[in-house]
């Protein structure tokens, strides 16, 4: 006898995979929102590749994100990020985790809209701060008051992230729960578009 919970979970994965089709699922949001950790689980559940755009940028440039910011500045980094995202989105389906500033760039956002389904992992300040203050690898937070900088980024970027196709609230729960909520959002988006 099959376990009904497994059947429901399998059907959610199957329905989400069918709803996604050949599109890329692109996770956007601020640093600490869970784009990479949740994205890996979602990709595994869907049986498609996972790509972290920041890791891809580091691979092609042979420099860390922090080194790129220090050597070339944010404007040059964003131009490289746009080129890498355009290339990543040419084939699919796959789950792509973006850097926090990727979706803010108009050109990158157009590529994502054209070749992907974007999901904003939206988190409040306390959740983000709890996740990012443990490491000092975030170039944009190397300021006198990093928590205030993070809040300023939220205020500037959240209206732009709101342009994503879907929004899922990122909160302090297990990553597997967040991944299921992403899958549900993909299915619901497809079903509401069909009706």
């Amino acid at each position: 006898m099959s376990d009904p919970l497994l059947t429901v979970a399998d059907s959610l994965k199957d329905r989400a995979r069918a709803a996604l089709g050949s599109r890329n699922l692109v996770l956007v949001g601020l640093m600490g929102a869970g784009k990479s950790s949740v994205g890996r689980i979602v990709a595994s559940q869907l049986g498609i590749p996972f790509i972290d755009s920041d890791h891809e940028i580091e691979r092609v440039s042979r420099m860390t994100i922090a080194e790129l910011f220090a050597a070339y500045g944010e404007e040059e980094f964003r131009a490289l990020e746009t080129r890498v995202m355009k290339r990543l989105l040419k084939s699919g389906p796959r789950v792509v985790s973006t850097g926090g500033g990727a979706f803010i760039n108009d050109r990158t956002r157009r590529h994502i809209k054209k070749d992907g389904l974007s999901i904003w992992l939206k988190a409040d300040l306390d959740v983000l701060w709890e996740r990012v203050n443990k490491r000092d690898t975030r170039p944009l937070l190397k300021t006198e008051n990093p928590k205030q900088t993070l809040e300023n980024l939220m205020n500037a970027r959240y209206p732009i992230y709101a342009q994503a196709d879907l929004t899922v609230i990122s909160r302090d729960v297990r990553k597997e729960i967040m991944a299921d909520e992403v899958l549900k959002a993909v299915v619901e988006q497809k079903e509401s578009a069909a009706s």
Side-chain angles (χ1 to χ4, degrees), residues 127-138 141:
V127 168
L128 294 173
W129 180 246
E130 180 62 30
R131 293 175 182 170
V132 302
N133 77 358
K134 297 175 180 98
R135 290 187 270 150
D136 66 349
T137 58
R138 312 282 184 168
L141 295 184

Side-chain angles (χ1 to χ4, degrees), residues 5 7 23 43 62 66 76 94 98 107 115 119 122-123 165:
L5 289 177
T7 306
R23 295 178 295 176
R62 296 189 179 115
E76 281 300 312
R94 54 175 97 173
T98 64
R107 290 179 56 217
D115 296 315
I119 295 188
K122 181 181 181 182
D165 298 310

